[in-house]
C-alpha cells in the first residue's frame, strides 16, 4: 500500500511541476496564432503555410510568400502595429546586421548589441536599402534568439533569391 501511495504522490508532484510549463506553452502558442492571424488578415491573398512563418517576442512575425515573391513583416506593439511588405523581385541580397554600443567600466570596455535587423540591398543602387527591425534594446531589454532568427531568415531569403534569379 505504501508503494502505491509513493507512486501516486510522485505522479501528482510531477504533474504539479509540469502544469506551469504547459500553461506557459499554451499562452505562447495563442500569441503566435494571434500574430499569424493578424498577418494573414493584412495579406489576405497569400496562401501561407505553417512553416512559412517565424514569430518571436509576442510581437514580431515574418512570413515568406514564395508565389508572390514577398516577405511580410509585422511588429505589433501595445498601441500600434507596423506592417511591411518587401518585394523580393527587387532585392539583390539580404544580410543580418548587428549594431553595437560600448559600455565602459573602470577596468574594461564591453560591446553590447543594441539592435539587430535584416537589411535588404536593392538591385538599383540609387535606392536606399530596406531594413526590418528584429531587436531593439530600448524596446526589448534583452536578447532571446534574435540573432539566430536574423541568420536563419537571411539564409532562407538568399536561398529563395538564388532559386529565383538562377544564382547571384
Amino acid at each position: 500500500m505504501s508503494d502505491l501511495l509513493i507512486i501516486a504522490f510522485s505522479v501528482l508532484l510531477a504533474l504539479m511541476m509540469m502544469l506551469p510549463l504547459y500553461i506557459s506553452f499554451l499562452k505562447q502558442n495563442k500569441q503566435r496564432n494571434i500574430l499569424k492571424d493578424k498577418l494573414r488578415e493584412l495579406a489576405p491573398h497569400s496562401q501561407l503555410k505553417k512553416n512559412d512563418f517565424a514569430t518571436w517576442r509576442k510581437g514580431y512575425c515574418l512570413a515568406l510568400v514564395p508565389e508572390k515573391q514577398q516577405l511580410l513583416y509585422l511588429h505589433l506593439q501595445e498601441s500600434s502595429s507596423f506592417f511591411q511588405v518587401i518585394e523580393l523581385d527587387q532585392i539583390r541580397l539580404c544580410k543580418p546586421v548587428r549594431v553595437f554600443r560600448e559600455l565602459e567600466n573602470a577596468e574594461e570596455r564591453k560591446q553590447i548589441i543594441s539592435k539587430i535587423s535584416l537589411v535588404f540591398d536593392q538591385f538599383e543602387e540609387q535606392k536606399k536599402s530596406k531594413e526590418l527591425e528584429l531587436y531593439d534594446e530600448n524596446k526589448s531589454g534583452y536578447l532571446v534568439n534574435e540573432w539566430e532568427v536574423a541568420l536563419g531568415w537571411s539564409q532562407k531569403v538568399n536561398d529563395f533569391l538564388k532559386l529565383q534569379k538562377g544564382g547571384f
Side-chain angles (χ1 to χ4, degrees):
M1 184 70 176
S2 65
D3 289 341
L4 186 60
L5 187 60
I6 291 173
I7 291 171
F9 184 70
S10 299
V11 168
L12 181 64
L13 198 58
L15 287 175
M16 287 175 47
M17 291 176 61
M18 298 295 281
L19 186 62
L21 295 173
Y22 183 69
I23 290 171
S24 174
F25 171 77
L26 289 178
K27 278 183 169 179
Q28 288 176 358
N29 243 6
K30 182 178 178 182
Q31 187 63 34
R32 283 187 196 110
N33 289 336
I34 289 170
L35 279 169
K36 290 175 183 180
D37 291 342
K38 180 73 173 173
L39 193 63
R40 281 188 182 110
E41 178 185 311
L42 292 169
H45 303 295
S46 303
Q47 311 303 16
L48 297 169
K49 296 177 219 113
K50 189 175 183 176
N51 59 347
D52 292 336
F53 287 97
T55 59
W56 66 100
R57 278 204 192 269
K58 299 181 183 179
Y60 291 91
C61 188
L62 270 174
L64 180 65
V65 187
E67 63 273 0
K68 292 194 173 208
Q69 295 188 18
Q70 294 177 334
L71 184 72
L72 308 177
Y73 171 78
L74 176 65
H75 181 197
L76 286 180
Q77 297 173 339
E78 293 173 11
S79 60
S80 65
S81 64
F82 177 72
F83 175 70
Q84 187 171 356
V85 176
I86 303 288
E87 299 293 339
L88 295 176
D89 59 347
Q90 300 171 7
I91 302 300
R92 181 176 51 88
L93 179 68
C94 173
K95 56 189 172 191
V97 174
R98 290 183 285 195
V99 176
F100 294 91
R101 68 175 176 86
E102 286 197 10
L103 182 66
E104 294 184 36
N105 291 344
E107 61 270 350
E108 65 180 341
R109 296 173 106 177
K110 292 183 179 179
Q111 285 192 332
I112 297 174
I113 297 173
S114 64
K115 189 175 180 182
I116 295 176
S117 56
L118 285 176
V119 176
F120 298 88
D121 292 337
Q122 298 195 40
F123 279 115
E124 297 179 30
E125 293 181 13
Q126 316 75 299
K127 289 188 177 180
K128 185 179 176 186
S129 295
K130 296 183 180 188
E131 184 175 338
L132 297 180
E133 170 190 292
L134 302 183
Y135 167 77
D136 186 340
E137 171 184 41
N138 298 324
K139 296 176 186 174
S140 303
Y142 58 92
L143 282 169
V144 177
N145 66 342
E146 285 82 3
W147 184 242
E148 289 78 15
V149 170
L151 289 172
W153 274 89
S154 68
Q155 183 68 44
K156 189 173 187 172
V157 168
N158 287 330
D159 289 347
F160 175 78
L161 292 173
K162 211 183 272 188
L163 283 173
Q164 296 302 311
K165 310 292 190 257
F168 286 119

